[in-house]
Amino acid sequence: MEYLLIFGGLLVAFITLRVWFGARRAKIYAEIKKQKYTVMDPALDKLVQTNDRKPIG
C-alpha cells in the first residue's frame, strides 16, 4: 500500500513538472515569435498599401 502512495506521488510530481516546463517553453517560444513579427512590420506595411487599384464594378 505504501508503494502505491509513493508511486502516485511521483506520478503527480512528474506530470506537474512536465506541464510547468512545457508552459514555460511555450511562453519563451511565443516571445521569440512576437519579436520576429515586429521586425517584419515595416515590410508588411508596404504590401498592404494598395492605392492604385480601381473598383471592380
Side-chain angles (χ1 to χ4, degrees), residues 1 3-5 8 10-11 13 25 30 33-34 36 38 46 49 54 57:
M1 196 67 167
Y3 293 113
L4 187 60
L5 283 174
L10 288 175
L11 186 63
R25 197 170 101 192
K33 282 291 189 182
K34 193 181 350 175
K36 288 185 180 178
T38 55
K46 290 179 184 177
Q49 293 175 356
K54 297 178 183 177

Side-chain angles (χ1 to χ4, degrees), residues 13-57:
F14 175 74
I15 291 172
T16 303
L17 286 175
R18 184 175 171 124
V19 169
W20 186 75
F21 278 113
R24 186 174 168 206
R25 197 170 101 192
K27 180 182 175 186
I28 293 170
Y29 181 75
E31 288 175 358
I32 290 171
K33 282 291 189 182
K34 193 181 350 175
Q35 287 177 353
K36 288 185 180 178
Y37 286 136
T38 55
V39 170
M40 287 175 56
D41 270 343
L44 289 176
D45 287 340
K46 290 179 184 177
L47 289 174
V48 171
Q49 293 175 356
T50 55
N51 295 333
D52 57 344
R53 291 188 180 180
K54 297 178 183 177
I56 295 174

